[in-house]
Amino acid sequence: MTSPVEPIRQAQDWTPDSWQKKTALQQATYPDQAELEGALQALQALPPLVTSWEILSLKNQIAEAQQGKRFLLQGGDCAELFSECQPSIVANRLKVLLQMSLIMLHGLEIPVLRVGRFAGQYAKPRSEDMETIDGVTLPSYRGDLVNGPDFTQASRTPDPKRLLQAYSHSAITMNFVRGLVDGGFADLHHPEYWDLGWVEHSPLAEEFHRISQSIGSSVRFVETITGQTPGALRRVDFFTSHEALHLPFESAMTRQVPRQWGHFNLSAHLPWVGLRTAQVDGAHIELMRGIRNPVGIKVGPGMTGRDVQALLKRINPDDEMGRVVLIHRLGAANIADQLPGLIDAVKATGSPVLWICDPMHGNTEKTSNGYKTRHFDNIQAEVEQAIDIHASHGSRLGGLHLELTGENVTECIGGARRLSETDLVTAYKTTVDPRLNYEQALELAMLVVKKHRSIA
Ligand code: PEP
Ligand code: CO
């Protein structure tokens, strides 16, 4: 197989605009095309949000994950909000991801590749174009990149200025994340700094403290025996990802860079294609097929083994390593039925993929009191089944894709604190999908480790 950083070849008959000849689902309708064009031109002139060498480094690490040498942890909000671009919210989300990765690193004994669903997760697919409340019909909220969540004509009308605001908020978030990480926030000597204040009160406290102390002393031990300069283990990497949904925005950020062949999407390291837009002949797959980034593709209950084979052929015709992450999100009730066939179909192609599980989107339901929620038990059950099914089909679950937050929200039911349907009202803050709160996220990390160990 080919090394991921070796030039392969530019996709045939592709340009950053070739998607325009294909069917583009889930796009916003802007009232003023000239204003949209103006915003896109302004966007095109701005510097990239990420660099090509970071993208290629991630691709290399995904290639290693495909060989079982790393575990990928991807997580963050369902929909980031401009109004939540706040220091504590960004830092807490980072802390949860760091803590989860620590638990996994410790338990799985392999490096964890951290990919935030942040610094650009501003566009949302919706099942209905319009929403009606009390006889008033307005466009659906499509994420802060497009319009506002408030149910008013002004807020719901797609506004091109938001493209530049999204760019700025992504850049501000990235800048803060990079500063925290470079400044020692993620120092492995002191994982106790990452505590979120929940620890003393949590049923999981003891276990987490044991893990974090053990990591701290292992780091010191390794430094002592290898004579490494203090600091070599201080830095951890964070990569960014978002759903590459808004095609004019994504193609404005798709560019060539000096001294590299081909094109990169420079708005995130790992763009992914959502389930609703993953048609092999669709515009989203067309745009993604020509870039050199690694690309995620959601795989859901409606997809057949043949669909996935066709997608792989289109997006990775040269079987490049590190290029494709398949994110299955089948639901706890469907995974046993559907995943084995999908694994076999992918294996039959011989094309390398990293399989990761999104146990969130196949397990969404509505409570009797009207909340969109997910049961922790179903999330856990889907991940545990995924680990088993991959293992028994000669494959390996290589990562997780989660919707989570560092805040103490009450959006998912269950977990160590046994949140119930009636608790949801306490702190239900999401504008789109329910997220794991920090404690549920850590609990899931611990359960995943237990499950992996039980089959190892
Ligand atoms: C999402 O990740 O928020 C999402 C919409 O997922 P999917 O495309 O899998 O439905
Ligand atoms: Co979601």
Side-chain angles (χ1 to χ4, degrees):
M1 271 179 226
T2 329
S3 141
V5 285
E6 234 170 43
I8 302 216
R9 60 180 162 132
Q10 178 69 55
Q12 304 294 293
D13 305 319
W14 179 93
T15 67
D17 295 325
S18 54
W19 61 269
Q20 291 180 359
K21 297 188 217 105
K22 306 275 185 174
T23 305
L25 300 181
Q26 296 285 341
Q27 299 305 290
T29 311
Y30 290 90
D32 186 338
Q33 279 303 306
E35 204 187 340
L36 174 64
E37 286 306 321
L40 292 171
Q41 270 174 24
L43 201 57
Q44 264 161 347
L46 289 164
L49 291 166
V50 300
T51 62
S52 59
W53 57 87
E54 290 169 342
I55 291 170
L56 294 177
S57 157
L58 173 63
K59 204 177 195 180
N60 261 323
Q61 294 186 43
I62 291 176
E64 289 175 9
Q66 288 173 342
Q67 297 160 341
K69 296 180 192 154
R70 290 178 187 272
F71 190 83
L72 190 150
L73 173 63
Q74 185 178 19
D77 288 321
C78 180
E80 265 180 302
L81 304 179
F82 297 164
S83 62
E84 291 195 346
C85 183
Q86 296 172 21
S88 66
I89 292 178
V90 175
N92 287 348
R93 190 171 45 213
L94 212 58
K95 283 184 181 180
V96 169
L97 286 168
L98 276 168
Q99 289 180 336
M100 291 179 81
S101 69
L102 193 76
I103 293 166
M104 290 170 165
L105 165 88
H106 183 260
L108 306 179
E109 297 178 343
I110 53 171
V112 176
L113 182 48
R114 302 170 191 86
V115 179
R117 237 186 107 111
F118 58 50
Q121 176 48 23
Y122 293 119
K124 296 309 300 173
R126 302 315 302 260
S127 33
E128 304 292 336
D129 278 344
M130 307 300 280
E131 184 178 353
T132 302
I133 298 179
D134 296 335
V136 181
T137 300
L138 293 173
S140 293
Y141 172 59
R142 290 189 168 275
D144 277 11
L145 184 64
V146 173
N147 55 4
D150 293 347
F151 195 72
T152 63
Q153 182 75 49
S155 159
R156 288 293 174 91
T157 304
D159 179 356
K161 284 196 281 304
R162 286 178 167 272
L163 300 177
L164 294 159
Q165 288 166 350
Y167 172 92
S168 305
H169 284 85
S170 300
I172 293 164
T173 307
M174 266 310 265
N175 183 56
F176 187 44
V177 169
R178 288 188 199 277
L180 285 172
V181 168
D182 285 345
F185 176 82
D187 188 341
L188 286 169
H189 299 80
H190 296 289
E192 68 277 10
Y193 293 174
W194 312 345
D195 275 1
L196 275 154
W198 61 276
V199 172
E200 296 99 274
H201 315 288
S202 172
L204 309 172
E206 211 178 308
E207 189 165 358
F208 184 69
H209 272 148
R210 193 178 49 71
I211 293 171
S212 91
Q213 275 159 11
S214 153
I215 298 254
S217 55
S218 306
V219 167
R220 284 184 284 274
F221 177 69
V222 168
E223 280 181 347
T224 309
I225 58 164
T226 61
Q228 278 195 52
T229 46
L233 288 165
R234 199 153 278 174
R235 255 204 66 125
V236 297
D237 284 330
F238 261 99
F239 294 97
T240 62
S241 69
H242 64 247
E243 179 171 350
L245 181 68
H246 191 295
L247 292 166
F249 179 89
E250 299 298 333
S251 74
M253 296 301 294
T254 296
R255 306 174 185 173
Q256 287 182 295
V257 298
R259 287 181 291 283
Q260 292 278 8
W261 66 272
H263 289 73
F264 291 84
N265 181 326
L266 298 170
S267 69
H269 303 107
L270 176 62
W272 81 81
V273 183
L275 185 65
R276 291 175 183 79
T277 51
Q279 300 77 21
V280 71
D281 286 320
H284 291 80
I285 293 294
E286 175 62 18
L287 180 58
M288 293 296 110
R289 100 184 155 87
I291 59 172
R292 290 186 61 193
N293 304 54
V295 171
I297 306 175
K298 293 283 195 102
V299 175
M303 278 183 177
T304 64
R306 281 195 181 189
D307 293 333
V308 180
Q309 287 175 336
L311 283 165
L312 289 179
K313 197 161 175 208
R314 180 64 57 91
I315 219 132
N316 194 17
D318 293 326
D319 301 333
E320 190 185 2
M321 296 231 18
R323 164 76 169 153
V324 177
V325 179
L326 291 180
I327 310 165
H328 56 75
R329 32 85 85 223
L330 297 158
N334 302 320
I335 185 166
D337 226 27
Q338 302 195 12
L339 185 57
L342 295 168
I343 293 173
D344 290 344
V346 168
K347 257 211 232 143
T349 66
S351 199
V353 305
L354 181 68
W355 280 111
I356 73 172
C357 175
D358 163 0
M360 314 299 293
H361 289 89
N363 293 310
T364 316
E365 54 192 281
K366 244 203 172 130
T367 61
S368 52
N369 49 355
Y371 285 98
K372 203 175 177 188
T373 192
R374 291 160 175 157
H375 282 262
F376 187 89
D377 288 350
N378 291 335
I379 294 169
Q380 178 185 349
E382 181 162 358
V383 179
E384 292 185 346
Q385 289 181 75
I387 294 169
D388 276 337
I389 294 167
H390 278 285
S392 60
H393 285 76
S395 173
R396 176 181 163 273
L397 184 70
L400 284 182
H401 178 116
L402 302 170
E403 288 185 342
L404 54 82
T405 170
E407 307 304 297
N408 190 14
V409 299
T410 53
E411 297 170 5
C412 291
I413 290 176
R417 275 192 211 246
R418 304 190 186 289
L419 286 186
S420 69
E421 221 171 278
T422 47
D423 292 321
L424 294 184
V425 66
T426 321
Y428 193 95
K429 296 185 182 160
T430 184
T431 46
V432 185
D433 284 339
R435 302 160 294 178
L436 296 170
N437 62 27
Y438 55 75
E439 207 169 80
Q440 291 167 329
L442 290 200
E443 184 178 3
L444 189 66
M446 289 176 186
L447 291 166
V448 166
V449 164
K450 274 201 187 104
K451 180 68 194 173
H452 260 289
R453 287 194 151 177
S454 77
I455 62 153

